[in-house]
Amino acid sequence: MTDIVWGWQLTLEIFLVGLGAAAIIISLFADLIKKDQTSYVAMAGAYIAPVATVMGILVLILHLGALYRAPWNILHIIFEPNIESQLATRTWALIILTVLMVMIFALCLFKGSQKLTFVLKGAASIVAFYVLVNGGVVLSFSRGVPFWSTPVLPWILTISSFPAALASIGLAIPILAQLMPKLFTNMVEIFNSGKNYKKLTLDLLTASIPFLVATLILTFAHIALAYGEPGVDVMLMGDMAMFFWAYVVAGTIVPIIIWVLNRSTTTKSAWANYLSYLLILAGMAALNFAILYSPQITESILNF
Amino acid sequence: MVEKIKRRDFLKTGAGLAAIIASPIAISKAEEVVIPATGKPKAMLVDARRCIGCKSCQVACKEWNKLPAEKTKISEAEFTNPPKFSSISWNVVTFKEMGNYDPKAEGTGGLKWRAISLRCMHCLDPQCVSVCPTHALIKHGDGPVVYDANRCVGCDYCMMACPWHVVHLDEKSKLIGKCTMCVDRIEAGMEPSCVVACPTDSLQFGDRDLMLEKGHDSNAPYIYGEKEAGGTSMICVSDVPFEEFGLPNVSPDPPSTFNLNMLKPIAGIGAIAGIISFLGYFMHTRTSKISAKSPKPKTSEQKKTKEA
């Protein structure tokens, strides 16, 4: 294939929706742990999740050809779906997930029932997990692109969403505290707590390390399984090599080094953790781009 | 109805002209062949050994389907033109020059030309139909895979799912373009326009069972499309391997089997990852509890204070 069929819109959709879905699962786990400042993580996760998911859906809609030709056709995917299609089930799962996320968002913002919030988070997490895995399954079922047809791919996209979500939560706390102090009083409280806040930023980075390592292992497992496909060469040495190696070095190795150094020093640096978050976010986005683009910019095995 | 008559006239003129240019055999063929619409799955027999590369099929396809011309160029080292399928080129004759040139050898000096007329394979159980979220692509009872633009959302999943990369999007109209196997003609009891235009019987059309039988009886060493992707409506026969034409090796699994074979290891990896994560979490919490219970070693300063 030489034409990019699924371009930046699909890549961003998978990345943003994955980030949102992972954020709501992290929010649920933070509620379950109930330790130190996990309530802030739970809250930030609940705020980030719907924003990222809705952004992802909007970007996806921009990709749909029917939007420019016959927008009402999009309703067919909702009212008359082909249930055999992974895209149709994904659409329904995304609708349910968005509704649940918005409800959780509203409950957190207006300090609604904690029990109801927890129950909704549980339900949203189940749907979110499906959405996370489904992103990769959609790609795996693309029989015309053998590079994607490995059983590891859905798990790469699933697991890589967690460090991205944790990084977003880490970045969101000070942003929410600074930009909207009246709305997010709890965030201001944690942001102003100095030492505790530094510890929180490091804890978030610590939590993302196992996911970073797992993603790296799975990515190389995927490359091994897809070995021989032209997409592998493009990803490792071709046009997408810059994205791939940026993910490996800047998105994984550097944050791990920062984490090791920051853990061993007595004076924790929140700024170093912020840098790690940014690198993780950029790295995971780069990984998504490398995976989606590499098999599409290879010379076709077909002459036609 | 008026439009139908016009299209028929259009075909008669168009395909007839193309056939006249190609061979007189086609003229008689175009007039006499009318097949009964039985509702049985139909198929096309594509014999690469008989193809002379006249491109009558390409022209007839353009004419019947009212597809505009495409600015093309001769692809490198071969005469395939246009070089690949597009939303307005549904039928492509692929040329291949094979063998090593030997000036001492008689005739062509060891080289041989092969050409094959290719289009949508019209799989018996198509992957594009399976992945389409809105039933915009459907499998017709007679065999063709047909497209309904009124249901299409433009997700392009069909383009990624097709193992032969047959489906293409027209960037201007945002519509999918692919061979329909001339479903309108089949419904009217006629053969597809490309088959009618073929002057050498390289393209034949009929019940799939019959076409398959003919393919096997033709003693061709290579058959393609019988089992690929669970079977297709294009039964291709050749005396050279189909890889030479650039056709991919597609597993015989229909979409349901292919998808299931993909889902099983995905679930397996998930289960293993889940168990590892659970064990890791269990070990971590256990270690944390033990370290919390055991007294912390005192620092030298604390010891001095205690002594004092």
Coordinates of all heavy atoms in Angstrom, one line a residue, chain A residues 1-3 229-232 234 293-301:
Chain A
M1 N 0.8 -1.2 0.0 CA 0.0 0.0 0.0 C 0.9 1.2 0.0 O 1.8 1.3 0.8 CB -0.9 0.0 1.2 CG -1.9 -1.1 1.3 SD -2.9 -1.1 2.8 CE -3.9 0.3 2.3
T2 N 0.6 2.2 -0.8 CA 1.4 3.4 -0.9 C 0.5 4.6 -0.5 O 1.0 5.7 -0.2 CB 1.9 3.6 -2.3 OG1 0.9 3.4 -3.2 CG2 3.1 2.7 -2.6
D3 N -0.8 4.4 -0.4 CA -1.7 5.5 0.0 C -2.0 5.4 1.5 O -2.3 4.3 1.9 CB -3.0 5.5 -0.8 CG -2.7 5.4 -2.3 OD1 -1.8 6.1 -2.8 OD2 -3.5 4.7 -3.0
E229 N 7.4 -8.8 7.0 CA 6.4 -7.9 6.4 C 7.2 -6.5 6.1 O 8.0 -6.1 6.9 CB 5.2 -7.6 7.4 CG 4.3 -8.7 7.6 CD 3.7 -9.2 6.4 OE1 3.5 -8.4 5.5 OE2 3.3 -10.4 6.3
P230 N 6.8 -5.9 5.0 CA 7.6 -4.7 4.7 C 7.4 -3.6 5.7 O 8.3 -2.7 5.8 CB 7.0 -4.3 3.3 CG 5.9 -5.2 3.0 CD 5.9 -6.3 4.0
G231 N 6.3 -3.6 6.4 CA 6.1 -2.6 7.5 C 7.1 -2.6 8.5 O 7.4 -1.5 9.1
V232 N 7.7 -3.7 8.8 CA 8.8 -3.9 9.9 C 10.0 -3.0 9.5 O 10.5 -2.3 10.3 CB 9.1 -5.3 10.1 CG1 10.3 -5.5 11.1 CG2 7.9 -6.1 10.6
V234 N 10.1 -0.5 7.4 CA 9.8 0.9 7.4 C 9.8 1.4 8.9 O 10.3 2.5 9.1 CB 8.4 1.1 6.8 CG1 7.9 2.6 6.9 CG2 8.4 0.7 5.4
Y293 N 1.2 3.9 10.6 CA 1.7 4.4 9.3 C 2.6 3.4 8.6 O 2.6 3.3 7.4 CB 2.4 5.7 9.5 CG 1.5 6.9 9.4 CD1 0.6 7.2 10.4 CD2 1.5 7.8 8.3 CE1 -0.3 8.3 10.3 CE2 0.7 8.9 8.2 CZ -0.2 9.2 9.3 OH -1.1 10.2 9.2
S294 N 3.4 2.7 9.4 CA 4.5 1.9 8.8 C 4.0 0.9 7.7 O 4.5 0.9 6.6 CB 5.2 1.1 9.9 OG 5.9 2.0 10.7
P295 N 2.9 0.1 7.9 CA 2.5 -0.8 6.9 C 1.8 -0.1 5.7 O 1.7 -0.7 4.6 CB 1.5 -1.7 7.6 CG 1.0 -1.0 8.7 CD 2.1 0.0 9.1
Q296 N 1.4 1.2 5.9 CA 0.7 1.9 4.8 C 1.6 2.6 3.9 O 1.2 2.9 2.8 CB -0.3 2.9 5.4 CG -1.4 2.2 6.2 CD -2.5 3.2 6.7 OE1 -3.2 3.7 5.9 NE2 -2.5 3.4 8.0
I297 N 2.8 2.9 4.3 CA 3.7 3.6 3.4 C 4.7 2.7 2.8 O 5.7 3.1 2.2 CB 4.4 4.8 4.1 CG1 5.1 4.4 5.4 CG2 3.4 5.9 4.3 CD1 5.8 5.5 6.0
T298 N 4.5 1.4 2.8 CA 5.4 0.5 2.1 C 5.0 0.3 0.7 O 3.8 0.6 0.3 CB 5.3 -0.9 2.8 OG1 4.0 -1.4 2.7 CG2 5.8 -0.9 4.2
E299 N 5.9 -0.1 -0.1 CA 5.5 -0.4 -1.5 C 4.6 -1.6 -1.5 O 4.9 -2.6 -0.8 CB 6.8 -0.6 -2.3 CG 7.5 0.6 -2.8 CD 6.5 1.5 -3.7 OE1 5.8 0.9 -4.6 OE2 6.5 2.7 -3.5
S300 N 3.6 -1.6 -2.3 CA 2.7 -2.7 -2.3 C 3.3 -4.0 -2.8 O 4.2 -3.9 -3.7 CB 1.5 -2.4 -3.2 OG 0.6 -3.5 -3.3
I301 N 2.9 -5.1 -2.2 CA 3.4 -6.4 -2.8 C 2.6 -6.7 -4.1 O 3.1 -7.5 -4.9 CB 3.2 -7.6 -1.8 CG1 1.7 -7.6 -1.3 CG2 4.2 -7.5 -0.7 CD1 1.4 -8.9 -0.6

